[in-house]
Amino acid sequence: MIAPEIAQIAVRSAAAGGIALAFGGAPLGVLLIARRMSLSGDALSHGILPGAAIAFLLAGPNPWALTLGALAAALVVTSLSSLLARTRRLPEDAAFAVIYLSALASGVLLLAHHAGPDALEAMLFGAASGLDRNGLLLAAGAATATLIALALFIRGFVAESVDPGFLRAEGRAGGWLHLLLMMLVALNLVAGFRAFGALMTVGLMMIPAAGARFWARGYAGQAGAAILISAASSAAGVLIASRAGVEPGAVMALCAAALFAVSGLIGPHGGVLASAVLRTRLAGRGQAS
């Protein structure tokens, strides 16, 4: 009886953690897409690997050590890539690519050589057992910090997303807002990487945000839709994964992809069916006139 009870607790913890990350990560994904920085989250998901690897080598699988190491690496990658982009010698996406690929190579080398392939796989793809009480607290804290920052600085974030050059020309805090946004992205990735994997957590951030564009136009509507899609993907993915006996990260990302496909089909803003109905109506009006 103990094993099933433990399994049920793990399922509930994973579902709660995924839903918490939906409230923190999905609204950030909407901002990243608006800034045409969809791959920046993926870059950071790779960039946290060397910090986690160093922490693993120094302290073993200690959850707080792994979290602090990953967060430190994410902040370093964010800061270096932002500074490199500010020199205007490289586009922002190129600066991210240089930094995160270097970080990824370092992390893979450290883990593969000193910890073995099992540790590397756990870092990249996650393990539901990694989401203990401390992990849940971190996920809830990341979501809370993100929502507070969005409530305080949402106008600046949206302005930075629409026209960052204008803010810099006006001498406003566009650069600081960009750095804060990337730090929030890093915090949410770190909160989810131990349970769902560095590569899969970013999927729960970006795929629902992309699907939300078919349901709403403004930021508030898209953020709300993205949270719902991400939370539903997390709950469904954890349930399916528990019954299939696999880790939930990849299943959750696939559930998000399925909901994205549904959104693209029936969504009222640019969905396939909505567009077909609109074309039919326009054609009817043209014939009537």
Side-chain angles (χ1 to χ4, degrees):
M1 294 296 294
I2 296 179
E5 291 177 0
I6 294 176
Q8 290 179 3
I9 293 174
V11 169
R12 289 196 293 267
S13 297
I19 292 173
L21 291 173
F23 280 88
L28 296 177
V30 174
L31 288 174
L32 291 177
I33 290 178
R35 282 215 61 184
R36 294 177 174 83
M37 293 178 60
S38 302
L39 294 179
S40 297
D42 185 60
L44 282 177
S45 72
H46 293 78
I48 67 177
L49 193 59
I54 293 173
F56 184 86
L57 296 178
L58 294 177
N62 182 281
W64 285 112
L66 291 175
T67 298
L68 292 176
L71 183 58
L75 296 180
V76 170
V77 169
T78 299
S79 301
L80 288 179
S81 57
S82 297
L83 288 174
L84 186 58
R86 291 292 182 269
T87 64
R88 301 178 185 272
R89 297 180 182 274
L90 282 176
E92 196 165 34
D93 57 345
F96 262 106
V98 170
I99 300 299
Y100 94 76
L101 285 173
S102 301
L104 175 63
S106 301
V108 169
L109 184 62
L110 285 171
L111 285 174
H113 183 67
H114 295 286
D118 291 339
L120 178 60
E121 182 179 355
M123 293 288 183
L124 292 177
F125 303 107
S129 58
L131 195 61
D132 52 10
R133 181 174 180 273
N134 292 329
L136 285 174
L137 290 175
L138 179 61
T144 302
T146 300
L147 293 176
I148 291 174
L150 290 175
L152 294 174
F153 304 111
I154 186 57
R155 290 188 177 182
F157 283 139
V158 172
E160 171 73 5
S161 300
V162 174
D163 192 355
F166 174 77
L167 285 182
R168 297 191 190 103
E170 291 291 315
R172 300 182 186 180
W176 289 105
L177 287 172
H178 171 74
L179 184 59
L180 176 59
L181 175 63
M182 299 313 298
M183 290 172 67
L184 290 172
V185 172
L187 179 61
N188 282 272
L189 290 175
V190 169
F193 92 98
R194 285 195 296 116
F196 308 123
L199 301 182
M200 298 299 104
T201 301
V202 70
L204 295 174
M205 181 182 295
M206 302 308 306
I207 298 176
R213 296 174 71 88
F214 293 104
W215 296 103
R217 294 294 189 192
Y219 173 75
Q222 289 187 16
I227 290 173
L228 289 176
I229 294 173
S230 184
S233 302
S234 299
V238 168
L239 181 61
I240 295 172
S242 65
R243 294 187 175 183
V246 297
E247 295 298 342
V251 182
M252 293 160 70
L254 287 175
C255 288
L259 290 179
F260 170 81
V262 172
S263 300
L265 180 63
I266 66 174
H269 297 286
V272 173
L273 294 181
S275 298
V277 171
L278 179 60
R279 286 195 299 269
T280 301
R281 289 179 179 177
L282 292 176
R285 290 178 183 179
Q287 292 175 359
S289 62

